């Protein structure tokens, strides 16, 4: 039987060859980043900024090296007009924007505090399109995403993609480096008994979040009348991948400590792409007060509250935010 590679899948599902080129470039960047992550200890670049290597040179962190890979590889895409990266303050323009050109938003390395302890990290991306010639606005709401996806650098490297229809997962074959279709039509189970939140922030939370988590923790004896499990990996990619596989709800709310910043996670390259993936898989993505993908962005690095995952749990959380 012929393996369905990422290229075969894209040629069957994506009408615009320029979008195929761009998605293949993103996948190549992710493959290169997987190698950087795996070899990081040899190069001395697992740590934070300003680490000296044995030659006394300052090492770049893997966040910066991962950003460089996205820039280096994706800049070849003929219809890519601009890059918006977590690691770069300003928008990087690659060409004079023309209607139909693509805009790429990305978090080159997500969960980077996990690098030092050899746990899962990832990359996240979203793609939108320029609507009129010369339009240099990149601040569009998430509903305009044409594709979104992530790479997970875990025990295996995976590439998970949605084009607005299905969510499809590919696993990197160790040897050939091919991304092969392994997880067709991924769906978030609508019911779950597993939640993910950084509970060390409990004292900063608003009432609806405290109420939800208190009720989960109360288990069988509480109003939920069943036991709940908790996971927190500190890598949104790993968290979302788990939810796509076995269900769950992920929360990074605005709280009294981060509210002035808007929350913790960034709208354009963390919340929006994950919202599109979760919703295409049958889940729900909300701030608690409205859909994430309806937010009108005010800046490329804007932060927002994030609640997403299994439909029944997110809908319950939305109800709790109304009282
Ligand atoms: P990044 O490494 O790109 O800055 O993102 C880290 C994010 C996200 O992946 C994760 O869910 C969250 O930060 C972890 O936050 P805590 O440190 O509060 O656990
Ligand atoms: Mn991140
Ligand atoms: Mn990052």
């Amino acid at each position: 039987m012929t393996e369905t590679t990422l290229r075969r899948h894209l040629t069957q599902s994506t009408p615009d060859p320029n979008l195929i080129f761009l998605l293949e470039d993103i996948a190549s960047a992710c493959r290169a980043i997987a190698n950087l992550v795996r070899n990081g200890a040899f190069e001395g670049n697992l740590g934070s900024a300003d680490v000296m290597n044995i030659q006394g040179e300052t090492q770049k962190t893997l966040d910066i090296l991962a950003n460089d890979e996205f820039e280096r590889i994706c800049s070849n895409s003929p219809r890519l007009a601009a890059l918006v990266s977590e690691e770069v303050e300003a928008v990087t323009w690659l060409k004079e924007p023309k209607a139909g050109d693509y805009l790429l938003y990305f978090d080159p390395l997500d969960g980077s505090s996990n690098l030092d302890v050899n746990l899962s990290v990832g990359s996240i991306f979203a793609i939108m399109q320029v609507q009129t010639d010369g339009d240099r606005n990149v601040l569009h709401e998430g509903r305009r995403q044409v594709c979104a996806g992530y790479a997970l650098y875990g025990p295996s490297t995976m590439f998970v993609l949605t084009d607005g229809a299905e969510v499809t997962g590919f696993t990197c074959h160790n040897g050939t480096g091919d991304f092969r279709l392994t997880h067709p039509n991924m769906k978030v189970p609508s019911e779950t008994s597993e939640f993910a939140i950084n509970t060390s922030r409990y004292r900063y939370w608003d009432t609806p979040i405290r109420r939800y988590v208190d009720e989960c923790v109360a288990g069988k004896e509480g109003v939920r009348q069943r036991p709940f499990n908790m996971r927190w990996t500190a890598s949104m990619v790993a968290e979302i991948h788990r939810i796509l596989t076995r269900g769950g709800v992920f929360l990074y709310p605005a709280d009294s400590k981060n509210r002035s910043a808007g929350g913790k996670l960034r709208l354009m390259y963390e919340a929006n792409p994950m919202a599109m993936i979760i919703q295409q898989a049958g889940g729900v993505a909300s701030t608690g007060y409205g859909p994430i993908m309806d937010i009108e962005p005010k800046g490329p690095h804007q932060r927002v509250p994030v609640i997403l995952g299994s439909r029944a749990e997110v809908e319950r959380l939305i109800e709790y935010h109304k009282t």
Side-chain angles (χ1 to χ4, degrees), residues 17 25 37 46 58 66 73 97 100 118 167 175 218 231 236-237 251 275-276 297:
D25 285 346
V37 167
L46 289 179
T58 303
I73 297 174
N118 199 14
V167 179
R231 287 285 184 273
M236 189 189 200
V237 170
L251 305 99
M276 183 180 185

Side-chain angles (χ1 to χ4, degrees), residues 86 107 109-112 198 232 234-236 250 252 264-266 270:
E86 178 191 330
D107 175 355
L109 205 54
D110 173 68
S112 41
N198 182 345
W232 186 250
S235 162
M236 189 189 200
F250 170 90
Y252 213 118
K264 162 120 193 208
L265 298 174
R266 276 61 55 108
E270 291 178 319

Side-chain angles (χ1 to χ4, degrees), residues 54-172:
I54 48 168
Q55 282 86 28
E57 298 159 333
T58 303
Q59 293 286 286
K60 289 184 177 177
T61 64
L62 272 178
D63 303 76
I64 304 298
L65 293 169
N67 179 69
D68 293 350
E69 290 301 326
F70 263 91
E71 278 188 10
R72 181 177 71 81
I73 297 174
C74 297
S75 299
N76 292 310
S77 278
R79 295 293 303 271
L80 181 60
L83 303 170
V84 178
S85 167
E86 178 191 330
E87 299 302 330
V88 182
E89 188 65 36
V91 178
T92 305
W93 286 98
L94 302 168
K95 68 189 286 291
E96 181 59 27
K98 293 264 181 293
D101 281 352
Y102 292 102
L103 306 166
L104 175 61
Y105 307 79
F106 60 103
D107 175 355
L109 205 54
D110 173 68
S112 41
S113 70
N114 278 357
L115 286 168
D116 286 337
V117 289
N118 199 14
L119 292 175
S120 294
V121 291
S123 303
I124 312 172
F125 67 90
I127 299 171
M128 300 205 210
Q129 270 184 301
V130 174
Q131 287 192 332
T132 48
D133 289 356
D135 181 5
R136 285 186 177 252
N137 178 22
V138 299
L139 301 178
H140 309 299
E141 57 192 54
R143 301 262 168 227
R144 278 190 43 186
Q145 294 172 115
V146 291
C147 272
Y150 62 80
L152 172 61
Y153 313 117
S156 59
T157 295
M158 285 197 67
F159 191 75
V160 174
L161 179 71
T162 184
D163 55 2
E166 292 184 348
V167 179
T168 314
F170 301 83
T171 303
C172 189

Side-chain angles (χ1 to χ4, degrees), residues 4-14 161 168 170 181:
T4 302
T5 58
L6 177 64
R7 170 170 296 183
R8 176 180 282 260
H9 170 82
L10 292 174
T11 50
Q12 288 165 354
S13 65
T14 310
L161 179 71
T168 314
F170 301 83
L181 176 63

Side-chain angles (χ1 to χ4, degrees), residues 91-313:
V91 178
T92 305
W93 286 98
L94 302 168
K95 68 189 286 291
E96 181 59 27
K98 293 264 181 293
D101 281 352
Y102 292 102
L103 306 166
L104 175 61
Y105 307 79
F106 60 103
D107 175 355
L109 205 54
D110 173 68
S112 41
S113 70
N114 278 357
L115 286 168
D116 286 337
V117 289
N118 199 14
L119 292 175
S120 294
V121 291
S123 303
I124 312 172
F125 67 90
I127 299 171
M128 300 205 210
Q129 270 184 301
V130 174
Q131 287 192 332
T132 48
D133 289 356
D135 181 5
R136 285 186 177 252
N137 178 22
V138 299
L139 301 178
H140 309 299
E141 57 192 54
R143 301 262 168 227
R144 278 190 43 186
Q145 294 172 115
V146 291
C147 272
Y150 62 80
L152 172 61
Y153 313 117
S156 59
T157 295
M158 285 197 67
F159 191 75
V160 174
L161 179 71
T162 184
D163 55 2
E166 292 184 348
V167 179
T168 314
F170 301 83
T171 303
C172 189
H173 181 261
N174 198 22
T176 61
D178 292 341
F179 279 111
R180 298 184 187 172
L181 176 63
T182 48
H183 295 61
N185 199 13
M186 298 175 84
K187 290 283 177 211
V188 182
S190 70
E191 307 279 338
T192 183
S193 297
E194 193 164 73
F195 65 98
I197 189 168
N198 182 345
T199 49
S200 70
R201 303 181 70 86
Y202 185 94
R203 65 195 182 285
Y204 306 129
W205 293 343
D206 293 342
T207 310
I209 304 295
R210 282 191 188 201
R211 176 183 172 191
Y212 178 79
V213 173
D214 286 346
E215 289 177 359
C216 291
V217 171
K220 220 165 174 320
E221 291 72 35
V223 293
R224 303 300 305 272
Q225 299 181 320
R226 65 180 200 265
F228 276 75
N229 190 25
M230 194 278 278
R231 287 285 184 273
W232 186 250
T233 65
S235 162
M236 189 189 200
V237 170
E239 231 80 75
I240 299 304
H241 190 70
R242 187 186 61 248
I243 290 170
L244 271 176
T245 310
R246 69 177 190 207
V249 60
F250 170 90
L251 305 99
Y252 213 118
D255 59 35
S256 63
K257 192 94 188 279
N258 67 29
R259 182 165 287 109
S260 59
K264 162 120 193 208
L265 298 174
R266 276 61 55 108
L267 174 63
M268 305 301 291
Y269 40 78
E270 291 178 319
N272 267 341
M274 290 311 197
M276 183 180 185
I277 292 165
I278 288 290
Q279 297 214 166
Q280 291 306 323
V284 181
S286 172
T287 62
Y289 296 102
I292 287 173
M293 289 194 290
D294 283 353
I295 299 172
E296 297 269 1
K298 294 180 186 68
H301 304 288
Q302 179 179 351
R303 295 172 194 263
V304 292
V306 174
I307 300 173
L308 46 73
S310 294
R311 173 170 294 279
E313 295 305 304

